[in-house]
Amino acid sequence: MAEGSGCASFCKKIPWLIIIRIIGMALGCCCIALGIVKLSTGAWDTQNSSLKGVVLSVYQIIFGILLVICELRLIFLLKHFKFLTHFLGLGMLYIFLGGLSIGAEGYEIALAVLFLVCGIVYACMGCGCQHMEADEFSFLKGKSSAAS
């Protein structure tokens, strides 16, 4: 296959991929805010166990931060989370956060649906594209993308 062709170059040219990334950053911020609100207001008391609610809120904050880091493409931090350099890995993170965010309130359901939609889009792209942007993450392979 000629260089510059294939799914990887196609994925770079998709203008709506930028929109998905912006939506992803907003979802990550919402996830962080939801976790902080649940911790500060004691909304976790309505669940079966208060310890379970605290842990879930902390998970939401941590994974929200991880999602924002991934969507900002902070390379020096992403080298520790190599699975997030693939569309499929990022899609699975979104799907996981969709399940983690679901709740009884309307805004929690809306947030979970948005996470699931973004996760399915990224996972579908991951079936065709192995890496988000091969040039940007080539250092993770230990060789340049031109040599492969």
Side-chain angles (χ1 to χ4, degrees):
M1 196 176 275
E3 186 160 337
S5 65
C7 189
S9 63
F10 173 74
C11 289
K12 285 183 183 180
K13 297 177 183 176
I14 300 174
W16 52 270
L17 187 58
I18 295 170
I19 295 170
I20 295 289
R21 285 182 63 191
I22 291 170
I23 291 171
M25 281 189 272
L27 286 173
C29 292
C30 287
C31 189
I32 295 168
L34 184 63
I36 290 172
V37 165
K38 283 184 176 182
L39 274 178
S40 64
T41 62
W44 41 267
D45 282 336
T46 60
Q47 297 179 359
N48 294 338
S49 170
S50 61
L51 181 61
K52 177 183 172 186
V54 170
V55 171
L56 286 177
S57 297
V58 171
Y59 276 169
Q60 279 186 316
I61 295 168
I62 291 171
F63 285 123
I65 292 169
L66 184 62
L67 188 62
V68 171
I69 288 170
C70 184
E71 291 297 352
L72 289 175
R73 306 292 197 262
L74 298 176
I75 305 294
F76 61 95
L77 293 174
L78 279 180
K79 68 181 178 182
H80 301 294
F81 303 100
K82 213 172 186 182
F83 69 97
L84 292 176
T85 63
H86 302 269
F87 282 121
L88 188 60
L90 185 58
M92 293 299 117
L93 177 66
Y94 272 102
I95 291 171
F96 173 73
L97 286 173
L100 189 66
S101 297
I102 200 160
E105 300 293 326
Y107 63 89
E108 292 173 326
I109 294 171
L111 187 64
V113 168
L114 287 172
F115 270 125
L116 291 174
V117 168
C118 283
I120 290 170
V121 168
Y122 274 128
C124 288
M125 289 176 59
C127 292
C129 303
Q130 298 216 348
H131 293 283
M132 289 183 201
E133 292 148 4
D135 298 334
E136 197 171 326
F137 297 111
S138 63
F139 74 94
L140 293 173
K141 297 179 192 174
K143 56 184 175 182
S144 68
S145 59
S148 56

